[in-house]
Amino acid sequence: MRQRKVPMRKDIVTGEMAPKKQLVRIVRNQDQEVSVDPTGKKSGRGAYISLDVAVAQRAKKERTFDHVFGVKLDEQFYDDLIAYVDHQQARRELFDHD
C-alpha cells in the first residue's frame, strides 16, 4: 500500500515546517477579525502556529499576528490562543500514544 503524503505547513513564529496536524490555524476574515480556526476550513487569510505553549507565548511577546495580518489585536486574543494551545497540547499528551 502506498504511503500517504503528509501535508506540511510553516509555523509563522519559528519558521519551521511541520505536519499540518501538529499546528493550529489562525485566520483573518474579510471583516479583519482574527480567530483560531480549529477545523482549518474557515475562509480567509490563514497562518499556522505550533501546538506548543512556549511558541504561543513567543507570538504574544512579539505580537506576531499583528504583523502577519496587519491588524491591531488585543491581549485577550493572545491569552485565549495560549489557553487553546495549552489545552490542545494536554489533549495530545493524553490521547496520542504514537
Side-chain angles (χ1 to χ4, degrees):
M1 197 154 114
R2 282 185 42 170
Q3 184 133 16
R4 265 193 128 125
K5 185 175 167 227
V6 177
M8 301 290 280
R9 298 291 182 267
K10 186 180 224 176
D11 180 332
I12 203 76
V13 178
T14 64
E16 295 174 14
M17 295 294 283
K20 190 174 172 183
K21 287 188 175 197
Q22 294 177 13
L23 304 169
V24 64
R25 184 172 185 250
I26 311 299
V27 66
R28 183 196 71 203
N29 64 17
Q30 290 178 327
D31 300 327
Q32 307 302 313
E33 296 167 339
V34 177
S35 61
V36 175
D37 180 11
T39 63
K41 294 181 169 124
K42 285 185 182 176
S43 65
R45 170 83 168 90
Y48 291 85
I49 182 173
S50 293
L51 285 172
D52 183 349
V53 175
V55 174
Q57 289 170 337
R58 183 174 154 196
K60 178 180 179 180
K61 185 174 148 236
E62 298 173 2
R63 302 202 62 85
T64 303
F65 293 104
D66 291 28
H67 303 298
V68 170
F69 293 131
V71 294
K72 180 88 173 95
L73 298 170
D74 59 353
E75 292 289 313
Q76 188 61 47
F77 168 78
Y78 287 103
D79 293 338
D80 292 346
L81 176 64
I82 291 168
Y84 177 82
V85 168
D86 185 39
H87 177 76
Q88 292 300 320
Q89 192 176 18
R91 281 192 61 166
R92 173 164 284 145
E93 289 167 8
L94 276 175
F95 297 114
D96 288 354
H97 302 291
D98 297 25

